[in-house]
Amino acid sequence: SVHVLSPGYVNARLEKETPIFNKQRIDFAPPEKINSLVVSSNQLCMSLGKDTLLRIDLGKPDEPNQVEVGRKDEAKVYKMFLDHTGSHLLIALNTSECLYLNRSVQKVRALSRWKGHLIESVGWNKFLGSETNTGPILVGTTQGQIYEAEISVSEGSLFSTNPDQYFRQVYTLEEESGPAPVCCLEIERGIEGKFFIIATTRKRLFQFVGKMPEGTEQQGFSSIFAMHADHLPSFREFPASFGFSEIAFYTPKLRSNPRSFAWMMGNGVLYGTLDYSRPDSILSDERVWVYPSDIDITVNKPISIVLTQFHFLLLLPDRVKAVCTLNGQVVFQDLFLEKFGLLTRMIKDPTVQQIWIHTEKVVFRYHVQRESRDVWKMYMNMNKFDLAKEYCKDRPECLDIVLAKEAEHCFQNKRYLDSAKCYALTQNYFEEIALKFIEAKQEEALMEFLIKKLSNLKPSEKTQTTLLTTWLTELYLNWLGILEGDPSQRNLYLDTREKFRTFLSSPKNKDCLFNNRASIYELLASHGDTEHMVYFAVIMQDYERVVAHHCQHDEYDEALNVLSRHRDEKLFYKFSPVLIQHIPKKVVDAWISMGSRLDARNLIPALVNYSQSASTQQINEAIRYMEFCVYQLEETQQAIHNYLLSLYALCRPDSLLSYLEQAGTNPNRIHYDLKYALRLCAEHGHNHACVHIYKVMELYEEAVDLALQVDVDLAKSCADLPEDDEELRKKLWLKIARHVVQEEKDVKKAMACLSSCALLKIEDVLPFFPDFVTIDHFKEAICNSLEDYNKHIEELKREMEEATQSAKRIREDIQEMRNKYGSVEPQEKCAACDFPLLNRPFYLFLCGHMFHYDCLLQAVFPNLPAYKQAKLEDLQKKLAATSQPSKSHHRPKDADTISLGKGQQSREQIKADIDDIVAAECVYCGELMIRSIDKPFIDPQKYEEEMQSWL
């Protein structure tokens, strides 16, 4: 069946859930009646009939071991005791004797020192006991005596000595009427070497507490009992008795101390926890479960008790009752059929947490399954919500019920904040809970609920996240507005403000707040909360809004700090025009600190607006930044250099010329606009700077003309610049000379111009002088000029003589070449085709190479320029068109002569022209071979074809 437990959860359960205590009848038919049964460490021992012991290792149930007691008298088994290891078995007989059987042997031994005592209880030593030695143990008798004993099995020959090492009395338990049977004994070790011994009689529960020095545990417990020789130990006593009592313990883990106890006595069951930190009594949280009306201690009194984590089980003659230790309610009752007989005893194996019950002929076993399944309900009903949640943390449907109950409990007790935290974790309807807090006028609790609910939302629940985020913002702003107006709530206001800021800056809320920032801004603006608007803008990295806010409130330093801190270039470009009007030096410092991240071209508009209305001192800040860009960042943008030039021209003429000179004279490496710079310098009358710009533009005439207005020496430096154009240099120097003569009327300075420029002669300068000037001023210059002319004439004569001699030598060489010849042997072969040379017309070169005419033509033609190829083809056609000489070799001489004419002469001329082209140089030794050095051996177009031919 399927049922809805709470909104959001659907729980599917089986038709019939397995009970906590699941009974199983053991498939065992004893041959004789069962007298007693004990279990420990998965070892089961039972007494059958009069003389048989049956031992079963529950790990190997098919291999039982049977041992004969070996008694021929009428002795019967009174009780059996098995230690925690399952190795040592004590068998108390009703004849006040005691037998011992070790797990590793088959023979039962009598304990001679124990004779005369009817053993009622044994307190095993869980700290020193082993498989061969019990260590010091405590033994209780029906007469109230407590004895200390030790049993040891020697490994050589098992019973070569008596197994009982000693047996001495250490104490006697009494009730008001005298000594009383020692019903139970338990030995536990606490912290710091402290030992606790619990002993019970029919009505009393005694506790013996004492320390044993480290290393003296083997000496036994006599010292602890000796402490109480003169006075009774602490005990709990109840009035009623049904002749015996039994105590049970629950140990959560193997080899750990018990955590709780349950003592079955005449008035009911005393149960609670064990606290080993207490000085004199380890019993804690004690409660008494009184027997209900269906348990009559005179008719059907309880027989045994066992304790589990949350229940104790009582064995009655015909049934088993399970009582929850949390609320004292009977949660389980199992009635046994009469055919099984009366129930005899119930015992629990502490190591595997299994419960065994037997009658005289049947054995049952209980498995404890998921005992804690409903514990959460009990804790919840007891309002112990933390424990309830602990026991249902793996069951979300149950956890939701607990949280809802806890939330309602807190709400009823006006613990609204705690209630909100719990409600936020439940699946209850959001609207119902929110309305509940609104009706109770608990805004703080409502905010807590919304915050917790928001933190539990999944990233995919975007709509819910947006709703809660916006609502919380509104609530925070309302709450802050109320608190801000109340001076007595100053601390609460500060705490709430801090929470609000934490909420706004939470990484979990970041995406939602960013996507809905417009709504948040509107809320903040509607409440007039500019402080948090700025704070929120910073979180959203909406620095434009932050800076704008500071600028609107004349907080320029704060605005600049935000810009400097977040280093956003776009914001610098946007707000610099405003900021530089008020804090120019700081703004320029900020620009400089940004370095190359800022594009100075985008800042020029701000500087232009600023410089137009600012004083010279303020313009200096603009110059400082421009100089930083030019000299430090090495900016090459023309706009930056032009603007720096304009600032120099306006305020710093001295720096203007040094800047121009530093920029150099190579137009390709100059970053300012030359024409703009020239116009700017001319407007402001900076002639020296204009001269420099003219020089860079190679406008030397203009440069000299303007320089003469400034300084003659400057003009001279300009006149020498066109080094490759002597005519222009001479023209420039003539300008200078004319200026010196006509404007300055300084003859000496004019003569100095002649000495400064080798291109000027006295005759070039004379026309500039007036007629009244005497020759004395020019005497030396005229003489020098005449001497130069004489030297020049002599030099020309020498060159003419040398040319005449060269022409004579050339004529002689030509004549010699005409008479030069070479000899060819009959066996000589063509260097190209390797066939005999004399078979066809051939060429002989001075280098010794010889080629057939057609072979040389074939080698030379592809390497000729196109125009020569065309001319050669044309000559060949003309040669073919001329008449051929007679093939007869016996024609008379006069006939040969007659055939000579204009056509034959043309043929010889054509052949000579062909020779000039084809045989201009040896194809192997001339430039043709040098030019073809990088030519591939195989034509790239025929490479593939050639390669295939080799495969």
Side-chain angles (χ1 to χ4, degrees):
S1 62
V2 178
H3 59 282
V4 179
L5 291 177
S6 61
Y9 290 116
V10 176
N11 183 40
R13 294 181 178 271
L14 296 174
E15 287 294 336
K16 187 175 182 181
E17 194 171 32
T18 306
I20 294 174
F21 302 101
N22 189 22
K23 183 173 69 174
Q24 175 190 8
R25 180 181 175 182
I26 304 301
D27 186 12
F28 171 69
E32 300 178 77
K33 70 174 185 177
I34 302 172
N35 300 320
S36 181
L37 182 146
V38 288
V39 182
S40 184
S41 294
N42 237 12
Q43 301 295 319
L44 183 144
C45 299
M46 66 175 70
S47 168
L48 300 176
K50 180 181 176 184
D51 198 45
T52 304
L53 290 176
L54 188 65
R55 297 188 293 183
I56 301 174
D57 183 347
L58 297 175
K60 305 173 184 177
D62 298 333
E63 301 176 12
N65 175 251
Q66 187 170 315
V67 179
E68 300 298 327
V69 177
R71 299 288 296 227
K72 304 299 183 184
D73 54 14
E74 295 298 321
K76 295 180 180 179
V77 174
Y78 175 66
K79 278 188 176 182
M80 293 198 304
F81 308 95
L82 186 63
D83 80 316
H84 62 285
T85 66
S87 301
H88 306 282
L89 177 65
L90 291 174
I91 306 152
L93 304 178
N94 59 358
T95 56
S96 298
E97 295 177 83
C98 193
L99 307 178
Y100 172 75
L101 179 63
N102 190 277
R103 183 167 65 179
S104 59
V105 299
Q106 287 289 106
K107 187 176 180 180
V108 177
R109 289 296 304 263
L111 301 177
S112 57
R113 291 187 176 89
W114 296 42
K115 192 171 183 180
H117 302 284
L118 185 58
I119 306 304
E120 185 70 29
S121 58
V122 175
W124 297 103
N125 193 325
K126 293 177 284 188
F127 317 107
L128 298 176
S130 66
E131 293 183 0
T132 59
N133 188 290
T134 62
I137 61 174
L138 297 177
V139 180
T141 69
T142 55
Q143 301 302 315
Q145 294 98 355
I146 297 177
Y147 288 88
E148 185 179 78
E150 184 174 358
I151 301 173
S152 179
V153 180
S154 59
E155 297 180 2
S157 56
L158 284 175
F159 290 115
S160 59
T161 58
N162 289 332
D164 48 337
Q165 302 296 307
Y166 63 89
F167 190 78
R168 55 174 176 259
Q169 183 177 353
V170 291
Y171 202 79
T172 301
L173 293 184
E174 295 183 355
E175 293 181 351
E176 70 277 1
S177 59
V182 183
C183 298
C184 296
L185 283 170
E186 181 75 13
I187 304 169
E188 295 298 338
R189 181 169 59 186
I191 57 177
E192 299 177 352
K194 188 182 290 187
F195 278 81
F196 297 88
I197 298 172
I198 296 176
T200 66
T201 62
R202 294 166 295 192
K203 297 181 178 181
R204 293 184 177 180
L205 186 152
F206 294 88
Q207 294 183 75
F208 298 88
V209 184
K211 281 189 177 182
M212 294 178 65
E214 188 175 353
T216 63
E217 292 89 346
Q218 194 63 45
Q219 297 176 9
F221 306 102
S222 304
S223 60
I224 296 177
F225 288 102
M227 297 177 189
H228 302 87
D230 299 330
H231 59 87
L232 282 174
S234 64
F235 64 88
R236 295 292 311 273
E237 184 174 16
F238 290 86
S241 168
F242 44 61
F244 65 94
S245 70
E246 185 173 354
I247 191 167
F249 296 92
Y250 168 71
T251 305
K253 294 180 182 178
L254 191 62
R255 294 179 183 172
S256 63
N257 289 332
R259 289 290 179 265
S260 56
F261 74 97
W263 179 37
M264 179 185 73
M265 39 76 183
N267 289 88
V269 178
L270 175 71
Y271 63 97
T273 59
L274 300 177
D275 185 357
Y276 294 93
S277 63
R278 300 180 65 180
D280 53 354
S281 172
I282 61 173
L283 306 184
S284 179
D285 298 330
E286 298 174 45
R287 284 165 288 174
V288 176
W289 182 76
V290 180
Y291 296 128
S293 58
D294 62 341
I295 298 179
D296 186 350
I297 63 174
T298 60
V299 179
N300 60 339
K301 60 186 176 183
I303 302 168
S304 295
I305 186 171
V306 297
L307 181 63
T308 63
Q309 186 177 5
F310 297 107
H311 303 85
F312 61 79
L313 280 73
L314 286 176
L315 180 69
L316 299 169
D318 62 344
R319 72 191 65 193
V320 172
K321 281 183 180 287
V323 180
C324 179
T325 56
L326 298 178
N327 56 13
Q329 300 294 317
V330 176
V331 296
F332 172 78
Q333 185 166 271
D334 194 3
L335 188 64
F336 287 75
L337 300 176
E338 291 183 8
K339 66 177 182 178
F340 298 137
L342 295 177
L343 303 178
T344 307
R345 180 146 175 83
M346 177 171 60
I347 190 167
K348 185 179 77 168
D349 186 346
T351 58
V352 295
Q353 304 295 330
Q354 290 180 349
I355 300 168
W356 296 79
I357 296 176
H358 72 91
T359 67
E360 289 184 347
K361 50 186 177 180
V362 184
V363 179
F364 298 93
R365 178 170 58 189
Y366 280 99
H367 291 277
V368 183
Q369 296 181 330
R370 294 179 55 236
E371 184 183 5
S372 62
R373 67 181 73 170
D374 294 325
V375 167
W376 64 273
K377 288 183 184 177
M378 299 171 195
Y379 278 129
M380 180 182 71
N381 294 329
M382 297 162 64
N383 293 335
K384 294 183 177 180
F385 299 108
D386 290 339
L387 289 171
K389 287 183 281 189
E390 182 68 25
Y391 283 99
C392 62
K393 58 186 178 183
D394 297 329
R395 300 167 66 185
E397 73 279 3
C398 302
L399 180 61
D400 191 67
I401 297 172
V402 174
L403 289 168
K405 182 72 180 291
E406 182 182 8
E408 186 61 31
H409 175 77
C410 294
F411 193 91
Q412 296 299 331
N413 288 276
K414 297 186 178 181
R415 291 163 46 204
Y416 296 111
L417 287 176
D418 293 335
S419 176
K421 292 175 183 177
C422 293
Y423 268 131
L425 299 174
T426 68
Q427 297 297 316
N428 289 20
Y429 292 114
F430 172 83
E431 298 84 350
E432 293 179 1
I433 301 169
L435 286 172
K436 197 168 188 175
F437 287 113
I438 292 172
E439 290 172 0
K441 298 182 179 179
Q442 295 296 322
E443 281 198 10
E444 190 175 0
L446 176 60
M447 289 165 61
E448 185 67 29
F449 168 68
L450 296 178
I451 290 170
K452 292 293 182 184
K453 203 71 179 176
L454 179 63
S455 66
N456 294 329
L457 289 177
K458 299 175 184 177
S460 59
E461 298 175 312
K462 297 185 181 300
T463 305
Q464 294 91 325
T465 303
T466 302
L467 170 66
L468 293 182
T469 302
T470 310
W471 194 0
L472 274 168
T473 304
E474 176 69 23
L475 290 173
Y476 267 120
L477 292 172
N478 286 337
W479 188 238
L480 286 171
I482 294 170
L483 295 176
E484 190 176 15
D486 189 351
S488 62
Q489 300 288 335
R490 180 63 180 172
N491 292 334
L492 180 57
Y493 168 76
L494 294 176
D495 291 343
T496 306
R497 185 182 69 176
E498 189 61 32
K499 287 180 182 178
F500 182 43
R501 292 185 173 184
T502 303
F503 166 75
L504 291 176
S505 59
S506 170
K508 184 175 177 64
N509 303 333
K510 184 176 181 181
D511 290 342
C512 177
L513 289 169
F514 182 79
N515 294 331
N516 297 279
R517 59 188 183 278
S519 301
I520 303 299
Y521 281 131
E522 288 179 8
L523 282 174
L524 292 165
S526 66
H527 285 265
D529 195 340
T530 56
E531 179 184 2
H532 284 108
M533 183 181 292
V534 173
Y535 182 83
F536 180 68
V538 171
I539 293 172
M540 293 294 103
Q541 298 183 353
D542 188 0
Y543 302 117
E544 181 177 350
R545 188 182 293 268
V546 177
V547 176
H549 170 80
H550 288 310
C551 290
Q552 288 171 3
H553 292 78
D554 297 338
E555 298 168 350
Y556 302 110
D557 287 335
E558 287 296 324
L560 184 59
N561 288 339
V562 174
L563 290 177
S564 302
R565 190 161 55 246
H566 300 289
R567 305 173 73 83
D568 188 327
E569 300 88 349
K570 293 180 180 178
L571 294 183
F572 266 103
Y573 300 147
K574 181 171 183 177
F575 291 100
S576 289
V578 176
L579 296 175
I580 200 168
Q581 299 290 339
H582 301 89
I583 46 174
K585 185 178 184 307
K586 292 181 179 179
V587 171
V588 171
D589 289 340
W591 289 351
I592 292 174
S593 68
M594 287 287 288
S596 59
R597 292 184 60 177
L598 289 179
D599 187 347
R601 291 177 301 173
N602 296 328
L603 297 173
I604 289 176
L607 291 171
V608 169
N609 292 335
Y610 172 65
S611 60
Q612 286 176 352
S613 60
S615 64
T616 304
Q617 184 178 0
Q618 292 170 323
I619 292 176
N620 288 337
E621 293 299 328
I623 294 176
R624 181 162 69 95
Y625 181 65
M626 289 292 106
E627 287 179 339
F628 169 77
C629 294
V630 170
Y631 298 121
Q632 300 296 324
L633 301 182
E634 299 181 353
E635 284 283 357
T636 59
Q637 296 293 331
Q638 191 178 76
I640 296 171
H641 287 263
N642 287 348
Y643 184 57
L644 180 59
L645 264 175
S646 68
L647 293 174
Y648 279 152
L650 184 65
C651 294
R652 291 190 189 174
D654 297 339
S655 300
L656 173 63
L657 188 59
S658 62
Y659 165 78
L660 294 173
E661 290 174 349
Q662 188 173 349
T665 58
N666 186 348
N668 296 324
R669 302 182 65 180
I670 286 175
H671 304 302
Y672 57 85
D673 186 338
L674 288 167
K675 294 180 180 179
Y676 171 76
L678 182 62
R679 184 173 69 253
L680 196 67
C681 294
E683 287 177 0
H684 291 85
H686 302 313
N687 291 339
H688 202 154
C690 290
V691 170
H692 178 84
I693 296 170
Y694 277 134
K695 288 194 295 183
V696 175
M697 298 172 72
E698 298 183 356
L699 300 174
Y700 301 115
E701 291 190 47
E702 290 82 352
V704 169
D705 290 342
L706 187 59
L708 289 174
Q709 300 176 21
V710 179
D711 183 19
V712 173
D713 291 334
L714 179 60
K716 289 179 180 179
S717 66
C718 296
D720 281 333
L721 289 176
E723 297 176 355
D724 299 332
D725 191 345
E726 290 187 356
E727 184 178 350
L728 178 59
R729 284 173 60 199
K730 184 175 181 180
K731 182 178 180 181
L732 297 177
W733 276 102
L734 285 174
K735 281 178 177 286
I736 297 171
R738 181 188 293 111
H739 175 82
V740 170
V741 173
Q742 295 179 352
E743 300 297 329
E744 298 186 6
K745 297 181 173 54
D746 190 337
V747 178
K748 291 183 178 180
K749 192 177 285 189
M751 293 301 101
C753 289
L754 292 177
S755 61
S756 299
C757 179
L759 299 177
L760 287 183
K761 304 297 180 184
I762 184 63
E763 60 269 27
D764 298 325
V765 181
L766 283 175
F768 302 145
F769 289 97
D771 296 337
F772 58 84
V773 177
T774 60
I775 199 170
D776 293 341
H777 294 93
F778 313 114
K779 183 178 180 180
E780 184 178 353
I782 292 172
C783 292
N784 291 336
S785 179
L786 291 173
E787 289 178 3
D788 289 341
Y789 279 122
N790 287 333
K791 289 179 182 179
H792 185 58
I793 292 169
E794 291 296 326
E795 188 174 340
L796 289 174
K797 286 181 179 180
R798 188 168 57 253
E799 289 176 357
M800 290 174 65
E801 290 177 359
E802 290 177 356
T804 303
Q805 293 296 326
S806 296
K808 182 180 179 181
R809 285 195 296 272
I810 290 170
R811 283 193 296 271
E812 291 174 354
D813 290 342
I814 291 171
Q815 187 63 37
E816 186 179 352
M817 287 295 296
R818 286 175 178 171
N819 299 327
K820 202 164 187 177
Y821 67 93
S823 60
V824 178
E825 299 294 331
Q827 66 273 18
E828 293 290 347
K829 296 181 178 181
C830 175
C833 66
D834 207 30
F835 281 94
L837 185 70
L838 299 179
N839 289 352
R840 301 196 300 274
F842 64 88
Y843 288 100
L844 170 64
F845 291 95
L846 293 176
C847 60
H849 287 114
M850 293 168 274
F851 301 91
H852 288 128
Y853 165 75
D854 53 344
C855 293
L856 182 62
L857 180 63
Q858 185 178 2
V860 171
F861 186 82
N863 297 288
L864 290 174
Y867 74 94
K868 283 192 175 183
Q869 288 182 353
K871 184 177 180 182
L872 182 59
E873 289 176 349
D874 184 55
L875 289 172
Q876 286 177 324
K877 290 178 182 178
K878 288 179 180 180
L879 181 64
T882 57
S883 59
Q884 298 295 328
S886 174
K887 295 182 179 179
S888 172
H889 297 285
H890 305 286
R891 285 168 45 184
K893 183 177 179 182
D894 56 351
D896 222 13
T897 306
I898 293 170
S899 66
L900 294 174
K902 185 176 179 182
Q904 186 65 24
Q905 291 172 352
S906 175
R907 177 181 174 83
E908 293 299 327
Q909 183 62 43
I910 291 170
K911 290 176 69 177
D913 291 341
I914 291 174
D915 289 344
D916 289 341
I917 296 173
V918 175
E921 59 180 3
C922 175
V923 72
Y924 285 173
C925 303
E927 290 184 6
L928 179 63
M929 183 59 67
I930 296 173
R931 288 197 302 270
S932 66
I933 195 169
D934 58 347
K935 183 179 179 181
F937 289 111
I938 301 174
D939 189 349
Q941 296 179 352
K942 299 180 179 179
Y943 181 80
E944 289 294 332
E945 180 183 349
E946 185 70 22
M947 186 175 68
Q948 293 296 329
S949 69
W950 282 79
L951 297 178

